[in-house]
Amino acid sequence: MERKQIRLKDKTFILTITEEQIQAAVADVAAQLTRDYADKNPVFVIVLNGAFMFAGDLLRLLKFPYQIAFTKLSSYQGVSSTGRIIEQLPVHEDVTGRHLVIIEDIVESGHSMQYLKERLMERQPASVEICALSFKPEKCLVSGLTVKYVGMKLPEAFIVGYGLDYDELGREYRDIYALVAEQ
């Protein structure tokens, strides 16, 4: 059920992107991945926790062989980045000679994706690309970082829903909500 506004802890969020808009963007990304990887048996590296919903919807649309691996990085506390990346769950699979696609929820500063891509490149894959529900190039601090597959443009505000959270709350919503500016 679509709600126009939600409250999480001490913050109010308003509906910004509907489930239908999200699913249309996911289908577009799935079509691009099918075009580029249908004959490559790629490994999709899913970044937990935020990307789980996007990855689940995206991978169900793919009708070609692939494998999945999981990783977990953290750099956020509350509504802001700490600037420090912690690898809580490394990729354990052998990725040597494989085509890798990192699936992330949002790429903003680019530091986490740069960190992960560098760690994966050390393991000699055939290729590494980034796929994100959203990429904010104007906020990217990493020169030359390429996010090849992007689902949609998200608002500049802090957002929750569709796997994205505020202190581990709000991931369950099928829509995306933006933080209301506090006065």
Side-chain angles (χ1 to χ4, degrees):
M1 179 173 98
E2 183 180 293
R3 298 169 65 180
K4 300 292 181 199
Q5 182 174 302
I6 60 172
R7 183 125 179 111
L8 301 173
K9 284 187 171 182
D10 56 339
K11 308 259 185 248
T12 301
F13 298 82
I14 57 169
L15 178 66
T16 305
I17 301 172
T18 66
E19 179 180 11
E20 292 76 21
Q21 293 169 306
I22 295 166
Q23 292 308 316
V26 172
D28 287 344
V29 172
Q32 293 172 48
L33 290 169
T34 297
R35 178 194 68 223
D36 294 348
Y37 290 96
D39 62 344
K40 292 183 171 69
N41 189 21
V43 177
F44 290 101
V45 179
I46 302 165
V47 181
L48 298 174
N49 289 337
F52 80 94
M53 198 173 292
F54 172 50
D57 287 346
L58 179 64
L59 296 177
R60 277 193 296 274
L61 295 175
L62 303 180
K63 306 298 183 212
F64 58 84
Y66 60 82
Q67 291 178 288
I68 60 172
F70 295 96
T71 188
K72 185 172 182 179
L73 307 173
S74 66
S75 65
Y76 268 79
Q77 184 171 29
V79 297
S80 58
S81 177
T82 63
R84 195 171 133 239
I85 300 164
I86 300 168
E87 188 173 16
Q88 296 175 317
L89 174 65
V91 173
H92 294 292
E93 288 73 11
D94 180 9
V95 298
T96 306
R98 301 292 304 274
H99 294 282
L100 309 180
V101 179
I102 300 168
I103 300 179
E104 176 65 302
D105 52 6
I106 298 174
V107 177
E108 290 188 69
S109 74
H111 292 300
S112 293
M113 287 300 92
Q114 178 186 37
Y115 174 89
L116 181 56
K117 189 170 182 177
E118 287 174 358
R119 297 294 85 67
L120 292 170
M121 290 300 292
E122 291 169 359
R123 297 172 62 187
Q124 301 178 333
S127 66
V128 179
E129 296 294 348
I130 300 170
C131 171
L133 175 63
S134 180
F135 176 43
K136 297 181 179 181
E138 66 281 355
K139 287 194 165 195
C140 189
L141 302 174
V142 177
S143 178
L145 183 72
T146 300
V147 180
K148 187 170 183 179
Y149 306 97
V150 179
M152 64 178 55
K153 174 97 169 119
L154 293 178
E156 289 305 311
F158 186 83
I159 58 174
V160 298
Y162 196 65
L164 306 161
D165 73 296
Y166 166 52
D167 279 347
E168 296 300 324
L169 297 174
R171 293 187 194 278
E172 73 276 12
Y173 294 102
R174 294 175 182 255
D175 304 299
I176 292 176
Y177 296 82
L179 179 64
V180 174
E182 297 173 341
Q183 308 190 354

